[in-house]
Amino acid sequence: MTRSNPVSPLQLQVGVPHDIVISAVLRKLAEHEPFRTYSLAIMVNAIMGQLQNAANIMGLRDGKLAAYAGWLRVHKVDAEAWLSGQRDMPAPDWHNADAAISTIIIADDPADLRTLIRGVSNACANLPVYRMRVFGETEQKRKPITGRVQAGL
């Protein structure tokens, strides 16, 4: 009788701007829609901002990147205007923002999304976190949730 090994738990940590981390995140994004079709210049710029400003959560399993979430720190008034379609995605204000817009959430295993989103909520405690989903060419913006400290993270 063979016994299957249980899946290792997802370990969350904040990514840093190191060559190996940057490479791992870009490779992982290239495996997921819609990111695989985005320009490399756009993706490198977005990822570098998230890594340099601790605006990300990496999900590691057995030492390998299995999930990633990244966001922009923005002003709430700008996020509200973006949500209502009155403006394009606002530029980040990494140091004086009072809101966040989640721009990337990916996981190899959909079962890891809950843990990853809890990590984002924890990292953005007390901030409204605006979200969007992209299905092919369709972008769906969602009302914000309020980040909060998560027990056990």
Side-chain angles (χ1 to χ4, degrees):
M1 176 185 202
T2 60
R3 190 172 169 194
S4 64
N5 291 334
V7 175
S8 300
L10 192 68
Q11 302 295 315
L12 300 181
Q13 71 180 50
V14 176
V16 296
H18 184 278
D19 292 348
I20 293 171
V21 173
I22 296 163
S23 176
V25 171
L26 289 172
R27 280 194 317 267
K28 186 56 64 185
L29 289 174
E31 296 172 8
H32 294 271
E33 291 294 342
F35 306 106
R36 76 173 74 219
T37 61
Y38 290 3
S39 111
L40 181 61
I42 289 171
M43 293 311 303
V44 168
N45 189 44
I47 298 305
M48 288 302 296
Q50 292 170 353
L51 294 174
Q52 289 170 336
N53 293 286
N56 72 86
I57 295 290
M58 296 177 19
L60 303 172
R61 177 171 287 114
D62 300 326
K64 294 182 182 175
L65 185 63
Y68 179 85
W71 56 89
L72 301 176
R73 292 192 191 111
V74 299
H75 296 280
K76 184 176 179 180
V77 66
D78 294 332
E80 286 289 334
W82 169 79
L83 181 67
S84 67
Q86 297 174 359
R87 66 163 297 155
D88 289 334
M89 179 72 68
D93 182 342
W94 297 114
H95 305 291
N96 299 308
D98 57 356
I101 298 177
S102 174
T103 57
I104 301 169
I105 296 179
I106 59 167
D108 292 342
D109 183 346
D112 289 334
L113 286 172
R114 182 176 172 93
T115 301
L116 188 63
I117 291 169
R118 286 183 67 225
V120 172
S121 181
N122 190 67
C124 295
N126 302 314
L127 293 177
V129 180
Y130 295 76
R131 306 159 292 146
M132 69 176 164
R133 291 189 71 182
V134 177
F135 303 98
E137 298 292 316
T138 305
E139 184 177 286
Q140 187 180 65
K141 298 173 185 170
R142 298 191 171 178
K143 293 187 184 267
I145 59 170
T146 300
R148 63 176 204 241
V149 175
Q150 302 287 315
L153 288 185

